[in-house]
Amino acid sequence: AQKITQTQPGMFVQEKEAVTLDCTYDTSDPSYGLFWYKQPSSGEMIFLIYQGSYDQQNATEGRYSLNFQKARKSANLVISASQLGDSAMYFCAMREANDYKLSFGAGTTVTVRA
Amino acid sequence: SQTIHQWPATLVQPVGSPLSLECTVEGTSNPNLYWYRQAAGRGLQLLFYSVGIGQISSEVPQNLSASRPQDRQFILSSKKLLLSDSGFYLCAWSVRTAGNTEAFFGQGTRLTVV
């Protein structure tokens, strides 16, 4: 069964504006990790940010922040002050504590307009 | 520092031909290793993962197999390629502990079966 859901196949955002990418997940394990990756057109997978299920605060890394709502099982990525170089596909992923598998969502394509 | 090497970057193979993609990791020991496949514009599908030499877990029944002959070497193989095997193949590694460690990806192999 699909554990990671990204419902936005594509999004457009104006340069310098913020964009929120949705991610919901499903797990019965109380301990898990959530990850976001960026994949530019070159194909490489770039790790952006991590949120642990027991973390009390939302994770932040530079212009990236994670809006973690545990009860709703959502882990939305917020990119602030969008830049042209942010145009890429973005993937949400999850790994449960008792599992070595890292499962990915279908991804969201972000296009930043000048 | 740790690095992951994956080759070749691009491959065009005829239907029915064999396949061997190799991935090696440097600078770490006992990593978890992963093979993913990505169809054009789509998400990452986990094919195989390994937690140790000779230990392979298969996620999707298919025309492919994987082997881990050495601690930091992961090989994806096929005896006879199908058209449906075309895609972007990504190798990844993570620290042995599950849960809160991100995966690091190779540059990928773009396979076209003709």
Side-chain angles (χ1 to χ4, degrees):
Chain A
Q2 179 64 273
K3 290 190 172 183
I4 306 290
T5 303
Q6 295 180 254
T7 58
Q8 307 152 309
M11 297 186 70
F12 291 93
V13 60
Q14 206 64 29
E15 196 176 11
K16 300 181 183 178
E17 292 185 350
V19 61
T20 299
L21 309 183
D22 295 340
C23 173
T24 58
Y25 58 92
D26 182 34
T27 180
S28 57
D29 193 328
S31 180
Y32 51 90
L34 296 158
F35 308 83
W36 277 91
Y37 285 83
K38 172 185 177 181
Q39 186 182 43
S41 57
S42 60
E44 63 184 311
M45 293 288 287
I46 303 168
F47 166 71
L48 296 177
I49 195 168
Y50 162 80
Q51 179 83 46
S53 60
Y54 291 120
D55 292 344
Q56 295 297 312
Q57 295 188 341
N58 288 339
T60 60
E61 287 287 347
R63 293 186 298 110
Y64 304 108
S65 61
L66 207 152
N67 183 4
F68 180 46
Q69 298 185 47
K70 192 171 182 177
R72 298 179 60 183
K73 293 187 177 178
S74 74
N76 299 339
L77 177 71
V78 180
I79 307 174
S80 62
S82 295
Q83 303 171 356
L84 296 177
D86 293 334
S87 294
M89 200 160 185
Y90 290 81
F91 292 97
C92 180
M94 180 181 71
R95 181 190 283 132
E96 295 165 340
N98 296 318
D99 197 351
Y100 293 105
K101 295 182 293 185
L102 182 61
S103 300
F104 285 79
T108 296
T109 300
V110 172
T111 304
V112 181
R113 291 169 164 163
Chain B
S1 63
Q2 302 91 357
T3 56
I4 179 169
H5 302 281
Q6 184 182 345
W7 67 92
T10 306
L11 192 60
V12 179
Q13 291 284 97
V15 169
S17 64
L19 173 73
S20 180
L21 302 181
E22 187 164 344
C23 172
T24 59
V25 181
E26 296 179 356
T28 188
S29 297
N30 303 316
N32 294 334
L33 295 172
Y34 306 86
W35 278 112
Y36 288 89
R37 178 170 61 198
Q38 184 181 25
R42 305 292 294 275
L44 276 69
Q45 179 187 35
L46 179 61
L47 301 177
F48 302 94
Y49 69 98
S50 171
V51 299
I53 296 174
Q55 301 179 58
I56 309 295
S57 296
S58 174
E59 287 298 295
V60 182
Q62 62 214 323
N63 186 40
L64 302 169
S65 62
S67 62
R68 184 171 178 172
Q70 301 180 45
D71 181 46
R72 290 170 289 178
Q73 183 185 28
F74 205 23
I75 298 172
L76 183 69
S77 304
S78 173
K79 292 182 179 178
K80 289 185 178 182
L81 284 169
L82 307 172
L83 288 174
S84 58
D85 291 324
S86 294
F88 189 53
Y89 289 81
L90 287 155
C91 180
W93 76 272
S94 69
V95 174
R96 176 57 59 85
T97 56
N100 64 348
T101 54
E102 69 268 32
F104 300 93
F105 285 81
Q107 295 298 305
T109 296
R110 204 164 299 277
L111 172 66
T112 304
V113 182
V114 296

